[in-house]
Amino acid sequence: MERKNAWKTYSPQQLEELNQLADGYREFISRNKTERECTDAAIALAEAAGYVNLQDLIAAGAAVEPGAKIYAHTRGKALVMVHVGTEPLEAGMNILGAHIDSPRLDLKQNPLYESNGLALLDTHYYGGIKKYQWVTLPLALHGVVAKTDGTVVNVVVGEDPADPVFCITDILPHLGADQMKREAAKIVEGEALDVLVGSQPLVVEEDAAKDAPEGSALAAAAKDPVRAMVMQLLEQKYGIAEEDFLSAEIEVVPAGPARDMGFDRSMILGYGHDDRVCAYPSLMAQLAVDAPARTAVCVLVDKEEIGSVGASGMESLFFENAIAEIMELAGEGGLLKLRRALAASRMLSSDVSAGLDPAYANVFEPKNAAFLGRGLVFNKYTGARGKSGSNDASAEYVARVRKVMDDAGVNFQTAELGKVDAGGGGTIAFIPARYNMDVIDSGVAVLSMHAPWEVISKADLYEARRGYEAFLRNA
């Protein structure tokens, strides 16, 4: 059952739509490289489309009627958007769920130090990465610093052409004989992923350093002058003291924008396709839906790369609580009605799939592999070692989803994540399935998944956008 190449099916109008979507997506992932940035950008788009903050509705005691557009977020890192349909919420919802966190490096709470005349920032890697891929790349810093006076400082350094960038160094091949003998997982150790951020010492008068307040850049200059220079620059530009790193969330990500890839510009090379290549078309589909019968929902969550844990991950009760609040305002309050609504809902767990890479074809089983350019990918099950940790969608639900896609003319394919014994992976799908909800994994095929720069096909992005909207309207 080989699936056709989606590029062969497009009209001139569809190609124009595809390129417009790709342009918007490329700009979105270039600007928004953290879960906070994605959430802020999504809220701005939602509000422009008429969505109202759930907390404002609760405070006003406003009644929720069919057609209402509502959003809720938690800690600026996860978002739920709900377009209330004409059918009762208790009858169930059509839900798109994607994650907006991506593999990266996080600064430790006490990151800044000086060694041999260089200033560095210590990191802790986040998610499943090949550590050796992160050395010698231009890197940027994105995040926030929360100060004890209640202010929160946004930090983005390395994206503007006028900005400096940063990097993690590597040993030269002339002296790397011992390194090259190591296993790939240990070529670069986690504790060696320290970001080089400075080399110029702060020059001060000895008496000035002696009389300076403890913890200030001037006081540090006598012992660690390069570290002191970095501290001074941070204080001058952001008003940040070194102590403020204790309450900071700074992420180290590849610097620079996503780019069209290939002579034909049919692909996009960018950071964070996993899983923003599913989050963005989910968001666009949610905004496009008008007057739905069944309530349409888009959920964008954090922490999937580390197990969906924490207050902003899918394991949190944030999603459930938001739906409960909306049902209360809609006159359908009560635990039993909430449980019925969740059990009657249908969901696409929108997450990426591994695209078959000709360079590594031996780990794929071609009949059940995802190919770039063949459309939206459905994974009936994921998991590893005998489907461990997988949601396994029912045959009946797969048939329902197939019909929705066929009726809408969406190009789609089915896949597994590589050969049975080659490895495996998981998504958020098993978590909403706990509600007795029908859930299936669907997303976009990616090459070089979890690398600093990943590759997707514009055709697959377009089919995801079309498929997600068809699901919200007709599932």
Side-chain angles (χ1 to χ4, degrees):
M1 294 185 289
E2 185 173 335
R3 313 302 287 187
K4 59 189 173 186
N5 189 307
W7 288 102
K8 297 179 179 180
T9 69
Y10 295 142
S11 67
Q13 180 182 344
Q14 287 177 313
L15 285 172
E16 183 177 348
E17 293 173 354
L18 180 153
N19 285 312
Q20 287 179 351
L21 177 70
D23 289 346
Y25 170 67
R26 191 179 60 247
E27 181 177 352
F28 183 87
I29 62 169
S30 296
R31 290 179 178 271
N32 304 299
K33 294 186 177 182
T34 72
E35 64 283 0
R36 287 178 182 269
E37 292 167 345
C38 287
T39 299
D40 287 345
I43 288 174
L45 290 169
E47 289 181 339
Y51 279 77
V52 179
N53 193 323
L54 174 60
Q55 292 305 313
D56 293 340
L57 296 178
I58 294 171
V64 167
E65 303 287 346
K69 298 178 180 180
I70 306 163
Y71 76 85
H73 71 92
T74 183
R75 295 163 177 82
K77 299 181 184 180
L79 176 70
V80 175
M81 298 169 57
V82 179
H83 191 158
V84 179
T86 54
E87 296 178 5
L89 283 156
E90 186 180 348
M93 299 159 280
N94 293 342
I95 305 170
L96 301 174
H99 68 91
I100 48 177
D101 60 317
S102 296
R104 61 178 189 259
L105 309 177
D106 288 339
L107 295 193
K108 291 186 177 181
Q109 286 187 281
N110 186 18
L112 182 61
Y113 71 98
E114 179 176 333
S115 179
N116 297 308
L118 299 175
L120 300 106
L121 293 171
D122 207 355
T123 71
H124 192 133
Y125 63 89
Y126 173 97
I129 67 170
K130 292 180 176 178
K131 297 185 284 292
Y132 63 80
Q133 293 179 331
W134 285 78
V135 300
T136 72
L137 295 174
L139 299 171
L141 303 179
H142 289 236
V144 297
V145 179
K147 303 175 69 174
T148 55
D149 64 3
T151 59
V152 177
V153 181
N154 289 306
V155 175
V156 178
V157 187
E159 299 296 350
D160 190 291
D163 284 349
V165 293
F166 313 95
C167 82
I168 299 165
T169 58
D170 194 11
I171 192 168
L172 65 163
H174 313 66
L175 300 177
D178 287 342
Q179 181 196 49
M180 297 300 287
K181 294 175 183 176
R182 300 176 191 168
E183 295 179 0
K186 297 181 180 180
I187 288 175
V188 177
E189 300 281 1
E191 288 293 352
L193 293 173
D194 293 354
V195 182
L196 180 61
V197 296
S199 65
Q200 180 180 343
L202 178 64
V203 180
V204 298
E205 295 290 338
E206 186 175 338
D207 290 343
K210 186 188 307 181
D211 298 333
E214 185 179 352
S216 68
L218 290 178
K223 180 182 178 183
D224 295 322
V226 179
R227 171 171 156 264
M229 174 64 90
V230 172
M231 290 170 57
Q232 184 179 81
L233 292 171
L234 290 174
E235 185 173 355
Q236 290 173 349
K237 184 171 178 61
Y238 296 105
I240 297 170
E242 188 174 13
E243 279 288 298
D244 293 326
F245 279 118
L246 295 175
S247 51
E249 292 179 355
I250 306 293
E251 301 178 12
V252 182
V253 298
R259 301 284 297 274
D260 280 353
M261 182 171 162
F263 288 117
D264 53 8
R265 296 180 176 267
S266 63
M267 297 167 285
I268 297 175
L269 177 72
Y271 166 69
H273 286 318
D274 183 6
D275 183 37
R276 291 161 198 152
V277 75
C278 297
Y280 183 79
S282 295
L283 173 62
M284 293 297 103
Q286 177 74 20
L287 295 175
V289 170
D290 293 320
R294 277 170 68 92
T295 293
V297 179
C298 177
V299 187
L300 304 179
V301 292
D302 182 24
K303 299 291 187 291
E304 191 274 346
E305 298 295 356
I306 59 171
S308 297
V309 294
S312 53
M314 196 66 205
E315 289 275 16
S316 164
L317 293 179
F318 160 64
F319 165 69
E320 180 180 332
N321 291 346
I323 299 301
E325 294 280 9
I326 292 171
M327 291 186 70
E328 185 71 28
L329 295 176
E332 297 186 57
L335 182 60
L336 183 57
K337 288 190 175 184
L338 173 65
R339 294 291 175 228
R340 287 172 176 167
L342 294 171
S345 294
R346 305 179 189 114
M347 182 175 183
L348 297 185
S349 172
S350 306
D351 207 343
V352 296
S353 192
L356 192 149
D357 188 332
Y360 304 98
N362 61 306
V363 298
F364 294 90
E365 193 271 284
K367 297 192 309 302
N368 292 286
F371 291 80
L372 263 64
R374 296 189 186 179
L376 181 60
V377 183
F378 288 98
N379 295 84
K380 184 178 185 295
Y381 45 80
T382 55
R385 300 176 303 280
K387 300 185 182 180
S388 176
S390 171
N391 168 70
D392 196 340
S394 71
E396 293 84 353
Y397 185 50
V398 175
R400 173 184 286 272
V401 172
R402 282 178 56 204
K403 178 171 172 46
V404 170
M405 298 302 140
D406 287 342
D407 289 348
V410 175
N411 292 290
F412 74 91
Q413 55 187 316
T414 60
E416 297 180 4
L417 195 65
K419 287 183 177 178
V420 173
D421 288 332
T427 68
I428 65 171
F430 73 97
I431 302 167
R434 292 171 178 168
Y435 297 121
N436 193 29
M437 184 189 301
D438 275 321
V439 187
I440 188 171
D441 283 295
S442 69
V444 172
V446 175
L447 299 182
S448 304
M449 190 190 297
H450 281 215
W453 297 98
E454 302 168 313
V455 179
I456 62 102
S457 166
K458 292 180 179 179
D460 298 334
L461 171 69
Y462 180 58
E463 295 303 325
R465 164 66 178 79
R466 296 179 66 231
Y468 292 161
E469 184 176 346
F471 175 83
L472 289 179
R473 293 184 183 280
N474 302 307

